[in-house]
Amino acid sequence: MQVETAPVEALDALRGRMLPGGGFAPSAGVSEARPDATAWAVIALSLHGVEANLLAPARKSLAEVQREDGSVPIGPGPPDAFWPTPLALLAWHGREEFAEARGRAAAFLLETTGLHFEKPKTSPMGHDTALRGWPWTAGTHSWVEPTALSVMALTLEGHGKHERCLEAARLLVDRQLPGGGWNYGNTLVYGTELRPLAQATGVAASALAGRTEEASVADSLRYLEGEVERTRTPLSLSWSLLGLTAWGRRPTGAAEMIRESLGRQRPGAPYSTTNLALLLAAWHGHPARDSGRAYSR
């Protein structure tokens, strides 16, 4: 796929979020790095050809906050919020100098699960609560986005056929709404179907590409095709494009859609680092479906 040159100002703005310690600030003007922002910035800049030696301090900063159990926490405060772990794994992908960190992160994910249980007959929830995926924080139920991100990261690391990834894919299929799309993780509550969200749908569709028949997610892909025509908010647009790209259904006007979204930033209120990075990742194609060339520079 031929990729148009991304807007220089967007790439410069993202590069400008790198802090002296190597990590990336979550937004402009912030002086402390955050792992999720750092990981997404590394992923996006790698895809756009920023050389590995320039991003080495950022990758190292992720390794420095990795815990002994292999998890990467969101910060020093909440000890159980380990959801940035698959993002760090994506940022380290293909870098042999971080092989040990990658191995520990993958092992942590393979050994960690959400809180699961057999669904009572009187449960108001529509989904199968026994299927195991990944939660946002320890001791809570598994949800769509951390599960999908973990599947993508583990698959890139060669664990795509592991029992945990196979079960997590079944979880994602089970959490698909009857009318198409996904929300954060529920399907029906007291018999009422919940509304889909573009962000969650794009993440889930990305993780399921190559794992299920297209017919089984056709309604969800049609939902995303409708979303990209009418939404320009960065998270929804980025993940809609990423989900469609993973299935070979990238809209022909994707670059212009992203340009329009970038142009909607208000003076003095630029997008967060994660939002900016996701738009640039969506511009390139799909980080978890890339051949790996960008990660091996």
Side-chain angles (χ1 to χ4, degrees), residues 46-185:
S46 295
L47 289 169
H48 287 278
V50 174
E51 294 183 6
N53 64 319
L54 299 178
L55 295 175
R59 290 188 172 102
K60 183 179 178 182
S61 74
L62 291 172
E64 288 172 344
V65 299
Q66 186 180 30
R67 293 200 172 106
E68 289 187 9
D69 64 2
S71 66
V72 177
I74 187 61
D80 296 330
F82 54 71
W83 58 266
T85 304
L87 300 180
L89 199 50
L90 287 168
W92 290 324
H93 179 67
R95 305 307 309 172
E96 287 306 311
E97 63 269 37
F98 295 101
E100 191 268 344
R102 287 162 47 201
R104 290 198 294 124
F108 171 82
L109 290 174
L110 292 173
E111 295 167 1
T112 303
T113 183
L115 180 65
H116 299 286
F117 49 90
E118 293 296 327
K119 184 169 66 174
K121 293 182 179 179
T122 57
S123 173
M125 295 180 289
H127 67 272
D128 186 345
T129 57
L131 289 170
R132 297 176 302 164
W134 285 272
W136 293 104
T137 60
T140 62
H141 200 41
S142 293
W143 299 105
V144 166
E145 291 176 52
T147 295
L149 289 168
S150 295
V151 168
M152 284 187 274
L154 287 169
T155 298
L156 275 181
E157 288 297 307
H159 303 290
K161 294 184 179 180
H162 192 281
E163 175 190 355
R164 288 300 316 282
C165 286
L166 297 177
E167 184 175 359
R170 295 197 299 274
L171 180 151
L172 292 173
V173 172
D174 179 73
R175 301 290 183 94
Q176 186 176 206
L177 297 168
W182 282 263
N183 62 19
Y184 291 120

Side-chain angles (χ1 to χ4, degrees), residues 13 15 21 23 63 78 110 144 150 155 170 204 207 212 215-216 223 268 286 296:
R15 277 193 291 258
L110 292 173
V144 166
S150 295
T155 298
R170 295 197 299 274
T212 186
S216 69
Y223 164 73
H286 199 292
S296 60

Side-chain angles (χ1 to χ4, degrees), residues 3-18 24 40-51 55 258-259 262 265 273 276-284:
V3 182
E4 297 184 52
T5 303
V8 174
E9 61 274 15
L11 288 169
D12 286 346
L14 186 57
R15 277 193 291 258
R17 305 283 175 87
M18 182 182 269
F24 279 74
W40 277 122
V42 169
I43 292 165
L45 292 172
S46 295
L47 289 169
H48 287 278
V50 174
E51 294 183 6
L55 295 175
I258 295 171
R259 284 188 186 276
L262 289 168
Q265 297 177 88
T273 300
L276 191 57
L278 276 167
L279 284 170
L280 288 168
W283 183 292
H284 180 277

